[in-house]
Amino acid sequence: MHPKLSDPFPFPNLEDRVKMRDGVRLHTRTWLPDAFEEGTRYPVVLSRGYRAGNSSDAKKFTAAGYVYVGQATRGHGTSEGELNRFFHDGIDGYDTLTWISNQPWNDGNIAMYGRSYWGATQWLVAPEQHPNLKAIIPQNINADLWQCVYRCNGALTLAMTAAGRAYTEAEEASQYGWEATYRYLPLIDLDIEVSGKKNHLWRDYVSHSTYDDFWKEISLRGKYHLVTIPVFLMSGWYDYYAGATFDNYMALRRNGNVADIRVAINPSDHLNRVVGDRNFGPDAGKDDVELAIRWLDHVIKGLDNGIESEPPIRIFVMGANEWRFENEWPLARTRFTPFFFHRSDSSRFGKLNTSPPQDGEPSIFHYNPTDPVPTLGGNHSFLGTDHPELIRVGAVDQRPNEKRSDVLVFTSEPLERDLEVTGPIEIVLYAASSARDTDFTAKLIDVYPDGTAYNLTEGIIRARFRNSIWEDPKLLTPGEIYRYTLRLQATSNVFQRKHRIRVHLSSSNFPLWDRNPNTGNEQGMDDEMIIASQKIYHSGEHSSHIILPIIP
């Protein structure tokens, strides 16, 4: 039995404790449409995450004629069960969809909506193929939870993972000291050091440092073919998941089982806020709920509202500061163009151009993990705002980092005409290290005529995963030259006339990512660090370069 209808919005109309197949009951709240009539059935939008729904989202969906259902997953809020994110979300999501489909106000059509963990719960239930789940709208999350979420290409996503994992309240870390928190070693014991008790989520994400059964169970890798319903992907260029958004898009396209797949992306962060110090004009934002409603009106209600005639990809092009539709990804007209790193002299500063280098000496720097390159803006999902001196998100002038001896800087000549870069970006790096394991990091930067240098995108590779992040890691032979591929987040930017293209190469970006101690020991267990001597090669045989997706 449902309780009686309660107060009008913003309070939910119905409160339930929905029983899962193992008897665990999950707190579930339901908002009925504004024009709700007894005996009438409606399509439903379901949101599953840390909390049982979002009143702001509920107001918009119910005004558009949808029932909105919010559920707190196991261990969150007043929901029962152990807090063990992801592992029950496939079957719990399925059971919740069954419960909704049996309600007198549901017409049999259910969609799911939400960002971050609320998006992961969609990816995890979609392969279960519930007959009443008709569409999903996962935002700002990777369906592959190993490749880039709590870890990224082998490195630990330190600041974001520590937040709410190594400690239960930010106040604990604040009292301990934010910088001391991030620098504590060994990482595996950070939870005990800061909060006085173990946190199993933190310990899982630190200790499972390879693609093992832990990650295989909760990642969509190898399961994309089981997704057969329409999907609308949303993200931001300055979120952690811009690249993942297009990886997921292309994986679904390759399998060919989804009739309608769409993407919307703009210069926003994890919370869909336009962020950073660069001006993107008045139209850079996006109303993700309104975009979702318009799309659901088409795929769920069957309304002819013009969406069917629109190309599937909607991107905001930075620099030009305008929205644009595209038909595919990467864009069919892309010219993937290598820009080579040239060492000009014995300094850290070199040239960047399309001419392959002649034989020359390598660029050398020393990476000291006790003095890492600080995170300066960036494309990530750390939401804390109380220590911006250590980490913040978005486009930020990178010139302070160029003063460091462990950052190599390669810059093009001023451009003679506007140059658009839109698509996936890779750096091919030929490098040697004195260490058995280390990291290599990179940033792509738009340099204004006055010298302001705004970061566009960044990436990292942990050296032991240079061959594949999916296979067993292999340590380095010190001094041997290896080929590395650094995948930077996808981006879209017009480098305007007289601007310059710049790349930073280094071995750290802290505390966005954990510091590689260079020892080659088991990850997360080290309490010692050593300095690594790094060499980046520029010869004809080992011509390090960045591959830019140029749009003519």
Side-chain angles (χ1 to χ4, degrees):
M1 296 289 292
H2 293 302
K4 294 181 180 180
L5 294 185
S6 62
D7 295 334
F9 183 86
F11 301 103
N13 304 104
L14 306 170
E15 297 267 356
D16 288 279
R17 307 276 286 179
V18 177
K19 184 181 291 187
M20 302 294 101
R21 64 188 66 180
D22 62 355
V24 169
R25 297 177 303 168
L26 303 183
H27 180 211
T28 306
R29 305 194 299 171
T30 300
W31 287 259
L32 299 173
D34 292 355
F36 177 76
E37 296 181 3
E38 292 284 355
T40 302
R41 295 176 179 268
Y42 302 87
V44 171
V45 174
L46 169 65
S47 172
R48 301 187 69 249
Y50 304 156
R51 297 175 295 277
N54 179 293
S55 294
S56 176
D57 292 349
K59 182 177 182 179
K60 293 181 179 181
F61 282 116
T62 55
Y66 293 88
V67 174
Y68 176 82
V69 177
Q71 184 179 81
T73 57
R74 292 182 181 233
H76 289 109
T78 59
S79 288
E80 299 172 351
E82 180 187 6
L83 195 161
N84 195 16
R85 291 176 189 137
F86 311 117
F87 283 91
H88 284 92
D89 287 324
I91 58 175
D92 285 355
Y94 193 98
D95 292 349
T96 303
L97 291 165
T98 298
W99 175 81
I100 291 173
S101 65
N102 289 328
Q103 301 309 303
W105 33 259
N106 179 224
D107 66 1
N109 294 299
I110 308 170
M112 293 184 71
Y113 172 88
R115 70 171 65 93
S116 193
Y117 176 50
W118 284 258
T121 59
Q122 300 174 58
W123 283 123
L124 290 163
V125 75
E128 302 291 331
Q129 298 184 351
H130 193 285
N132 297 101
L133 181 60
K134 302 300 176 63
I136 59 173
I137 309 172
Q139 304 161 274
N140 300 0
I141 193 63
N142 194 352
D144 185 342
L145 294 172
W146 156 252
Q147 186 269 328
C148 181
V149 181
Y150 297 110
R151 306 193 75 93
C152 182
N153 297 325
L156 179 70
T157 309
L158 178 61
M160 188 267 283
T161 304
R165 309 298 185 269
Y167 45 85
T168 54
E169 300 292 341
E171 184 62 28
E172 294 174 340
S174 180
Q175 291 177 356
Y176 186 81
W178 286 109
E179 186 162 2
T181 295
Y182 294 136
R183 286 179 174 270
Y184 181 80
L185 295 177
L187 281 173
I188 190 66
D189 292 330
L190 176 61
D191 52 353
I192 298 174
E193 178 70 14
V194 172
S195 65
K197 55 184 176 294
K198 291 184 177 180
N199 182 310
H200 80 89
L201 291 177
W202 168 257
R203 290 179 169 261
D204 281 345
Y205 303 148
V206 173
S207 61
H208 292 281
S209 59
T210 63
Y211 184 58
D212 58 12
D213 290 340
F214 175 90
W215 298 109
K216 291 175 183 177
E217 183 175 344
I218 59 176
S219 292
L220 207 65
R221 181 176 168 82
K223 305 173 189 175
Y224 284 96
H225 65 285
L226 298 175
V227 180
T228 59
I229 54 177
V231 179
F232 193 168
L233 301 154
M234 299 189 203
S235 191
W237 296 127
Y238 286 98
D239 185 40
Y240 209 25
Y241 307 111
T245 296
F246 290 104
D247 287 347
N248 297 329
Y249 173 85
M250 290 187 290
L252 293 173
R253 283 287 184 209
R254 283 193 298 269
N255 282 285
N257 295 330
V258 180
D260 193 316
I261 317 169
R262 294 180 185 267
V263 172
I265 189 165
N266 67 319
S268 59
D269 71 349
H270 198 57
L271 295 181
N272 195 33
R273 305 169 300 190
V274 176
V275 290
D277 298 335
R278 188 180 177 192
N279 183 6
F280 296 114
D283 302 320
K286 69 179 186 294
D287 189 325
D288 43 3
V289 178
E290 290 302 324
L291 288 171
I293 288 171
R294 182 169 178 257
W295 181 69
L296 290 176
D297 283 348
H298 171 65
V299 298
I300 298 293
K301 294 183 178 180
L303 299 183
D304 183 5
N305 56 11
I307 278 188
E308 189 171 6
S309 62
E310 293 175 356
I313 297 174
R314 187 171 185 249
I315 61 175
F316 185 89
V317 183
M318 298 179 289
N321 293 348
E322 62 185 16
W323 285 95
R324 193 171 73 208
F325 282 106
E326 294 291 348
N327 287 300
E328 69 285 305
W329 189 269
L331 311 190
R333 60 191 183 278
T334 304
R335 297 174 182 170
F336 288 100
T337 306
F339 281 69
F340 296 92
F341 306 134
H342 297 261
R343 180 181 176 181
S344 300
D345 49 39
S346 60
S347 73
R348 297 178 294 106
F349 298 88
K351 296 180 180 179
L352 181 70
N353 58 47
T354 57
S355 300
Q358 304 298 316
D359 290 345
E361 293 298 313
S363 297
I364 300 174
F365 67 95
H366 294 88
Y367 160 48
N368 182 353
T370 66
D371 182 25
V373 177
T375 298
L376 199 56
N379 319 74
H380 55 81
S381 299
F382 181 74
L383 302 178
T385 59
D386 46 7
H387 50 290
E389 73 282 0
L390 294 180
I391 183 169
R392 55 179 293 214
V393 67
V396 176
D397 191 351
Q398 299 296 303
R399 284 179 292 182
N401 278 349
E402 294 173 7
K403 300 175 183 177
R404 296 179 56 95
S405 63
D406 54 355
V407 177
L408 303 182
V409 181
F410 300 93
T411 309
S412 75
E413 295 296 323
L415 298 173
E416 296 180 355
R417 61 184 64 85
D418 290 357
L419 182 71
E420 180 180 337
V421 170
T422 295
I425 295 173
E426 286 187 352
I427 288 180
V428 176
L429 204 62
Y430 293 94
S433 176
S434 63
R436 298 169 63 234
D437 186 38
T438 193
D439 291 344
F440 289 103
T441 62
K443 289 185 180 181
L444 176 64
I445 296 164
D446 186 340
V447 184
Y448 280 50
D450 67 358
T452 306
Y454 286 125
N455 52 299
L456 291 168
T457 180
E458 60 201 349
I460 189 171
I461 185 67
R462 185 141 288 176
R464 67 177 72 193
F465 293 102
R466 64 194 177 279
N467 296 330
S468 171
I469 63 171
W470 317 107
E471 306 298 332
D472 292 337
K474 299 183 185 304
L475 296 178
L476 303 174
T477 298
E480 185 170 329
I481 301 174
Y482 294 95
R483 184 184 191 273
Y484 298 88
T485 301
L486 278 73
R487 292 187 60 204
L488 279 60
Q489 297 280 11
T491 195
S492 179
N493 183 71
V494 172
F495 292 84
Q496 294 180 334
R497 180 176 174 268
K498 296 185 179 181
H499 286 219
R500 290 176 290 165
I501 305 169
R502 179 170 292 168
V503 173
H504 285 185
L505 298 178
S506 192
S507 288
S508 52
N509 186 337
F510 175 83
L512 171 55
W513 294 305
D514 70 320
R515 299 166 293 168
N516 195 316
N518 299 325
T519 61
N521 297 332
E522 184 179 357
Q523 297 183 83
M525 311 301 164
D526 249 322
D527 59 1
E528 63 172 318
M529 293 184 164
I530 61 175
I531 296 173
S533 177
Q534 320 286 51
K535 293 182 179 180
I536 307 299
Y537 288 83
H538 312 289
S539 67
E541 182 183 0
H542 300 117
S543 52
S544 300
H545 57 276
I546 185 170
I547 303 173
L548 296 181
I550 304 299
I551 308 302

